[in-house]
Amino acid sequence: MKFRQHQEQAQAQTFKLFAWFAVLLAGLVVAVNVLLALAYKLLMPLSHGYPALFFETNSGVILLFVLGGCLIETQRLREGGGQRVAHWMHGRLVKDPDDALERRLLNVVDEMAMASGQTVPHVYVLTREDAINAFVAGWSPEDYALCVTRGALDRLTRAELQGLVAHEFGHLKEEDLPMAMRLLALVWGLSLVHGYGQTLMSPDDNGHVNPVRWVVGLVFSAVGWLGWGAGRLLQAAVARQREFLADANAIQFTRTRDGLGNVLRKIWFDQQMLAGQMRHPQADMVASLLLHQSRLSRCLATHPRLPERIRRICGAVLSPMPAPLLRLEKAEPRRPPPTAPGAMLAAAAASGLHAEATKPPAPAEDADALGRLRRLAGPREKRMAVLALMMSAGNCDEHKLWLKLAEGLTHGQQILEDVQGLRPERLVPEFERLCKSIANDPISDRRALVEAARDLLKADGRVSPRDRLWWLTLRHQMSDKKSSRPFMRPVTGQGRELIDLQEDELAHVIALSAYLARFVPEPEMQGLLAATSRAWYARVIARCTHLQDLKPDGKIPDADALMHALAGVQELSWMIRPVLLRAWVEEALNHSTGGLMSNDTANALRLMAGLIDSPMPPALASHYPRD
């Protein structure tokens, strides 16, 4: 039944599209004949009547250009799909970039594909466009292409970029693209002459304009102006209202109104400043595909007015918002260098100085270290590798105690050097693998490992928030899970959101979030939370309650309160815990420089995922290698 309804709706939309095209084509033929007749009379005022087949020839030439252009472009779009449109708009395919903003875009696309249940499209960046915009094109999932302007990458936060991408996935979900591609072919045919003139008039890559080409282009643009107007009317007639449904889908996928709402507010600000327009000379032809195109008058507009869209999304018409460039001076590199190797750390321990970071190991060296760790078979070797993974980099007291615990172990120094040679994003996955491999050891051995870890982490006389999180995770992994876990998962809390938490559940979430704020997304300094951590905490709690005056000051739990809060969160429904983890991750991304989490933040959130038995959201899982 649902398939039939979609089919009938698609047929109705297609019929409406071609009906409007036929009406506008007939109007274009009449208008051109009238103008040519007037021009003939002005040039030949003494003539009687018109030449033979005057109107028939004019009509035939118009139909030949328009219908021929539509058929040719339809065939080209059938063969090239969305990627042809992307290349035509000077898009560059993004696969495995070194640019931090482009990596962020790929991560956001993966997240929105997961949230919407759609296929991941080919991702392109329109490097010549400074405006905030995006579009998606294609006939089928195999040739879908998502194009995002460079201006959107440079000027949108991660949450806003999620809203923009989610809007385009809303079009995919509603199956808008087949009609949009047919519309593009028809508009191409109507605007063929005018578009060719605009191409001749446009400057080259160096900003230079050829005078001869410009004059010829002006003639073509003037002749094809009526066709251009007909194409704009066709877009406005069939493409306007579907934007509201795509906006609604974007809110559903991202679970927030602020992302897309702020994007539209920034576009509105650019519109008022007469800036942020698409530079491509034929961008008007794809106006119906764009997130917004504000250069046209209201009667020719392909999208609803921005204030109306903002009102529907945010509940009120909020003011325009400026969109400054993001600052990425402290952005995390693609392959962050690991901590100092074990040999350097041992030398520093002997001299009482901390080791300085050296150059990162080559990929082959990292792979060799990982291979040796994965070949460890002895119980003691595995336990010492777990302890080495938990140590803080450069902590001489912990290093000395580890060496004392490893006395008599043949490969002890090699294990330490292999652990210290791993890249930071491999530490937690390897820690989890080793814990899983020794989780079935005798209870006495597991208890001894937990006690040794406790002594190791407090070897320097203090236990940092990070140390406590690692120790709690180890204790959780070493617990007797067979007897403590129920046979069936509880099914309570289905359909609930964080805002629906009960008072006691909210208290546990607040306490645990306040504890995480001590090192997410930045570590505290001298007992004071970083400004970004305060902002992270405020946004997490804002997702859970309408109260606005809750601050982490005075609510950071001690060891007993932390255990109580953790136990309370672990008792939450298995459907609400992933929602909470996703809130922690998303807000950590939103409050990290350039939308990129540090390795310490990602590791802390991954450890917390294991503590509350929740799967990692895609935004967190993408931080780690898949092997």
Side-chain angles (χ1 to χ4, degrees), residues 92-104:
R92 174 174 56 81
L93 182 64
V94 179
K95 285 187 176 180
D96 189 20
D98 292 326
D99 184 271
L101 293 176
E102 293 181 3
R103 295 202 309 274
R104 184 185 68 168

Side-chain angles (χ1 to χ4, degrees), residues 3 104 127 149 208 261 299 301 314 386 401 420 464 470 498 502:
F3 172 77
R104 184 185 68 168
T127 56
T149 63
H208 301 150
C299 62
C314 303
V386 168
L401 181 56
Q420 297 292 342
S464 67
W470 279 84
L498 293 176
Q502 299 178 6

Side-chain angles (χ1 to χ4, degrees), residues 40-112:
Y40 182 82
K41 286 300 182 181
L42 289 174
L43 295 175
M44 306 290 292
L46 300 179
S47 63
H48 298 283
Y50 296 94
L53 302 178
F54 178 80
F55 294 104
E56 291 83 352
T57 302
N58 296 337
S59 301
V61 171
I62 297 170
L63 293 175
L64 177 64
F65 268 92
V66 174
L67 296 180
C70 292
L71 291 176
I72 292 174
E73 186 59 24
T74 299
Q75 182 62 29
R76 289 177 176 176
L77 290 176
R78 286 289 184 185
E79 295 175 356
Q83 298 185 62
R84 167 174 168 75
V85 182
H87 288 298
W88 180 62
M89 290 294 293
H90 302 152
R92 174 174 56 81
L93 182 64
V94 179
K95 285 187 176 180
D96 189 20
D98 292 326
D99 184 271
L101 293 176
E102 293 181 3
R103 295 202 309 274
R104 184 185 68 168
L105 172 62
L106 292 183
N107 290 338
V108 168
V109 170
D110 288 340
E111 295 163 20
M112 292 302 103

Side-chain angles (χ1 to χ4, degrees), residues 489-510:
R489 285 181 170 179
V491 295
T492 58
Q494 296 191 38
R496 286 202 306 165
E497 296 291 341
L498 293 176
I499 200 70
D500 301 321
L501 291 174
Q502 299 178 6
E503 185 176 352
D504 57 337
E505 296 173 331
L506 178 61
H508 296 318
V509 171
I510 289 175

Side-chain angles (χ1 to χ4, degrees), residues 441-455:
D441 287 358
I443 185 64
S444 58
D445 293 343
R446 285 181 279 150
R447 184 181 294 114
L449 174 60
V450 173
E451 293 175 353
R454 179 193 59 198
D455 296 337

Side-chain angles (χ1 to χ4, degrees), residues 364-375:
E365 296 175 358
D366 176 80
D368 291 342
L370 186 65
R372 286 191 293 268
L373 288 174
R374 292 182 176 180
R375 289 192 295 269

